Amino acid sequence: MGGFKERVTGFLNNRWLVFVAAMWIQSCAGIGYLFGSISPVIKSSLGYNQRQLASLGVAKDLGDSVGFLAGSLCEVLPLWGALLVGALQNLIGYGWVWLIVTGRATALPLWAMCILIFVGNNGETYFNTAALVSCVQNFPKSRGPIVGILKGFAGLSGAILTQIYTMIHFPSHSSLIFMVAVGPTMVVIALMFFIRPVRGHIQIRPSDGNSFTFVYSICILLAAYLMGVMLVEDLVDLNHTVITIFTVILFILLIIPVAIPISLSFCSESNRDSASKALLPEAGKSENSEQDGHEVIFSEVEDEKPKDVDSLPVSERQKRIAQLQVKLAQAAAEGAVRIKRRRPHRGEDFTLTEALMKADFWLIFFSLLLGSGSGLTVIDNLGQMSQSQGYNNAHIFVSMISIWNFLGRVGGGYFSEIVVKDYAYPRPVAMAVAQLVMAVGHVFFAAGWTGAMHIGTLLIGLGYGAHWAIVPAAASELFGLKKFGALYNFLTLANPAGSFVFSGLIASRIYDYEAERQAHGHNLGLFLSEEPLKCVGSVCYFLSSMIMSGFCIIAVILSMILVNRTKGVYTHLYGKRGPSSSLS
């Protein structure tokens, strides 16, 4: 009986259980991706025009990206407390919108509706931050795959929630808003106590590589399955029973990964591990504190060592530095020397303020702004882009780019991990590759060839998704895990900033200019009417796409500058181990 209790305790404290629970939370965390589905209901119910609806869209994007409070609360509160705050925001924001749309509450002015949308969507930042912080701390040596998989599920959540909504078959379209308000809230509250650091660095096993391979296989199978289901439901008129079967299979695919912590915990080998694991935290703690003390003392060596030491032979230089370290340690212990704190170096723990003083941080930010911002512009305008090129079923491209976005996030984490683990090369080089892929994708959108929309959607989706697996992992490696929540949420501001520049200032103005020019050329009366102008042909987004392609090339240059500046950090972090395909 005692052995069974130990195994249950080991299961509840298994880092893979935390990871699986985070995957489930992320599966319903990307509620912002459903805005395109709920906005027509809001528009028709409240009588909004397109400009007013666009204001709600801006509020949604800001809510999705402004995560300072979420990052700060994750440092002060336990992670379940931050998740609870996010769940309440989601319920209050979208719940109130549902009450207004259905006539159960008094209609509010536009600015108040923007606040409600902002509050509701801002709950997503708490889900993302808590999931990433806990899992990156539990898997410190596998940050790329962890971030890629979690962000991938967030990107896929729109398709998952849409399939669930299709199965429930609500009589009113406004019920989707109700599901967005209640569904994620229930899932997060049910799982919030599982999301926590569990000293995952002492749970590393030789089987972890196989576990990651299993999760990757589920991810690929899930993406392929959802793609197939979307195409079948779009092309064939299915009855409710078949749709229900499709959704049940979807749930089974989502549940399967829990087999990993179950198999690791309820086996003879894990029972021995759990007994030894109980003794490790204190030892680890003393080792860490001892290392911290040495790091502080060793940092003084750079200030105290004679200038000619660096010119000595290697053996003599190491001997002189070791002697100086001993003298400094003795002097510090006797109080004769006060060890002053130095500013952190790359690879150590930074606060947000300290990171903002570093050129590397701004290189990441602006590279992300140019690359991810141009990708978000395509996602937001994909409906009009497809219609301008003669496609009537724009939602097919929206569904496709969601799948490619998911695969880009999963693949970006996987391949960037190979770069750092096997070659000790800076992770941002993977971001440069993703941006180069996006530059080619924008050219396909500009060309307007037959099938170019499909290829462009593939390339932009993969490249955009890869950013959100690579950037958080790289930020945690360069600026540490201690303030990771605040650092990550500041970097996410690059997304709406880039979208504002490319979509609000460039693409929309060029589109309106081309639409007016076509209206002048065909019918002046149409131009003077109140009907919204529409642009037809590849010319509508040709110049915008070429501009965004050019800025993606600039992003590649910024990423490669960052690569050149951080080679030493990655050599220090990963260079001591030999090439290995295993993920710990």
Side-chain angles (χ1 to χ4, degrees):
M1 185 68 181
F4 179 75
K5 286 184 177 179
E6 287 182 0
R7 293 183 180 186
V8 171
T9 302
F11 172 72
L12 295 177
N13 291 289
N14 192 294
R15 64 175 183 166
W16 283 96
L17 180 63
V18 178
F19 182 42
V20 173
M23 287 166 55
W24 291 341
I25 286 179
Q26 291 294 87
S27 296
C28 61
I31 49 182
Y33 292 103
L34 286 175
F35 183 77
S37 299
I38 66 175
S39 57
V41 181
I42 298 175
K43 182 178 181 180
S44 60
S45 300
L46 302 181
Y48 285 167
N49 57 34
Q50 194 63 32
R51 175 176 291 184
Q52 291 171 316
L53 197 64
S55 299
L56 295 181
V58 172
K60 183 267 298 181
D61 289 337
L62 288 175
D64 187 31
S65 302
V66 179
F68 288 118
L69 185 58
S72 300
L73 286 181
C74 283
E75 296 173 6
V76 177
L77 297 177
L79 293 182
W80 66 263
L83 286 169
L84 182 60
V85 172
L88 292 176
Q89 280 195 206
N90 179 74
L91 179 63
I92 293 171
Y94 280 107
W96 203 335
V97 171
W98 175 73
L99 291 174
I100 292 173
V101 168
T102 56
R104 291 176 171 86
T106 306
L108 298 177
L110 179 62
W111 63 266
M113 291 295 294
C114 288
I115 292 177
L116 289 179
I117 293 292
F118 174 89
V119 170
N121 220 63
N122 190 245
E124 181 181 336
T125 62
Y126 293 85
F127 307 155
N128 282 324
T129 304
L132 289 174
V133 167
S134 62
C135 291
V136 168
Q137 290 180 1
N138 288 332
F139 293 84
K141 302 300 183 182
S142 302
R143 303 176 194 186
I146 290 297
V147 173
I149 291 169
L150 290 178
K151 295 297 291 182
F153 272 94
L156 202 62
S157 60
I160 294 173
L161 292 174
T162 299
Q163 182 61 30
I164 296 172
Y165 174 77
T166 304
M167 180 198 69
I168 297 175
H169 197 61
F170 286 113
S172 172
H173 291 295
S174 62
S175 300
L176 179 58
I177 305 175
F178 177 80
M179 194 186 79
V180 167
V182 175
T185 301
M186 293 174 60
V187 172
V188 170
I189 291 177
L191 298 173
M192 63 185 184
F193 292 110
F194 292 99
I195 306 300
R196 67 205 191 283
V198 290
R199 291 191 293 272
H201 62 283
I202 63 173
Q203 297 184 29
I204 296 175
R205 299 169 183 258
S207 62
D208 284 342
N210 294 331
S211 299
F212 273 110
T213 301
F214 180 72
V215 173
Y216 276 121
S217 300
I218 295 297
C219 289
I220 295 173
L221 181 60
L222 183 62
Y225 176 75
L226 274 174
M227 175 69 79
V229 168
M230 286 178 182
L231 292 175
V232 170
E233 291 180 348
D234 183 68
L235 298 175
V236 181
D237 188 14
L238 302 175
N239 60 44
H240 187 258
T241 303
V242 176
I243 294 175
T244 302
I245 294 174
F246 282 161
T247 310
V248 170
I249 296 174
L250 173 62
F251 281 132
I252 293 173
L253 290 175
L254 290 172
I255 292 172
I256 284 176
V258 79
I260 296 174
I262 291 176
S263 64
L264 290 175
S265 300
F266 294 95
C267 64
S268 58
E269 186 178 337
S270 70
N271 206 23
R272 293 193 297 269
D273 290 342
S274 63
S276 61
K277 193 192 310 177
L279 300 175
L280 286 173
E282 293 300 323
K285 183 176 179 181
S286 62
E287 289 175 3
N288 289 339
S289 61
E290 184 179 350
Q291 289 176 357
D292 291 342
H294 287 324
E295 285 179 2
V296 173
I297 292 175
F298 292 171
S299 67
E300 296 297 304
V301 174
E302 297 299 320
D303 297 330
E304 299 294 336
K305 70 180 181 181
K307 294 182 178 179
D308 61 345
V309 168
D310 292 331
S311 61
L312 296 173
V314 176
S315 59
E316 182 65 23
R317 181 169 69 247
Q318 292 177 345
K319 181 180 178 181
R320 293 280 295 273
I321 290 176
Q323 292 173 349
L324 183 57
Q325 289 171 348
V326 172
K327 291 180 181 179
L328 282 171
Q330 292 174 347
E334 296 171 359
V337 174
R338 183 179 180 182
I339 304 300
K340 63 178 184 288
R341 286 207 167 271
R342 59 174 175 80
R343 292 183 177 180
H345 295 161
R346 296 187 190 101
E348 300 175 349
D349 289 323
F350 282 71
T351 65
L352 178 59
T353 304
E354 291 169 338
L356 291 174
M357 302 296 291
K358 289 293 183 179
D360 295 338
F361 189 81
W362 289 108
L363 283 171
I364 295 176
F365 182 86
F366 283 110
S367 179
L368 183 63
L369 186 151
L370 298 177
S372 178
S374 67
L376 184 60
T377 298
V378 171
I379 293 174
D380 289 344
N381 292 275
L382 197 55
Q384 281 186 311
M385 294 177 79
S386 59
Q387 290 174 0
S388 67
Q389 297 197 24
Y391 293 96
N392 295 323
N393 296 326
H395 63 278
I396 293 179
F397 292 102
V398 175
S399 299
M400 286 175 58
I401 205 168
S402 176
I403 302 294
W404 303 135
N405 181 14
F406 168 74
L407 292 176
R409 296 181 185 211
V410 174
Y414 177 78
F415 289 110
S416 70
E417 197 72 5
I418 292 176
V419 169
V420 299
K421 285 284 185 70
D422 290 2
Y423 303 100
Y425 205 71
R427 193 183 299 270
V429 73
M431 186 163 67
V433 173
Q435 289 159 347
L436 191 61
V437 169
M438 292 184 68
V440 177
H442 287 302
V443 172
F444 273 95
F445 276 117
W449 302 319
T450 302
M453 277 289 298
H454 296 81
I455 300 175
T457 300
L458 167 66
L459 297 178
I460 295 297
L462 291 175
Y464 173 80
H467 279 78
W468 294 105
I470 299 167
V471 168
S476 69
E477 289 163 338
L478 296 176
F479 303 105
L481 292 172
K482 188 174 182 180
K483 302 293 182 181
F484 174 69
L487 296 169
Y488 165 73
N489 281 297
F490 184 90
L491 288 173
T492 58
L493 291 176
N495 219 26
S499 176
F500 172 75
V501 172
F502 291 118
S503 183
L505 300 181
I506 298 177
S508 61
R509 295 190 179 187
I510 294 176
Y511 180 91
D512 288 341
Y513 170 78
E514 293 293 341
E516 291 179 4
R517 192 172 64 84
Q518 289 183 3
H520 270 300
H522 292 91
N523 191 338
L524 186 60
L526 177 64
F527 173 70
L528 295 175
S529 69
E530 295 182 359
E531 290 294 322
L533 298 176
K534 290 185 179 180
C535 182
V536 179
S538 60
V539 68
C540 305
Y541 285 96
F542 172 80
L543 183 57
S544 301
S545 296
M546 294 305 296
I547 290 174
M548 289 190 288
S549 180
F551 276 111
C552 281
I553 297 298
I554 296 176
V556 171
I557 296 172
L558 295 178
S559 296
M560 292 308 298
I561 293 174
L562 181 64
V563 167
N564 187 61
R565 289 172 58 91
T566 57
K567 286 181 180 178
V569 181
Y570 283 90
T571 300
H572 175 72
L573 287 175
Y574 299 101
K576 293 181 181 179
R577 66 190 72 184
S580 172
S581 60
S582 62
L583 295 171
S584 60

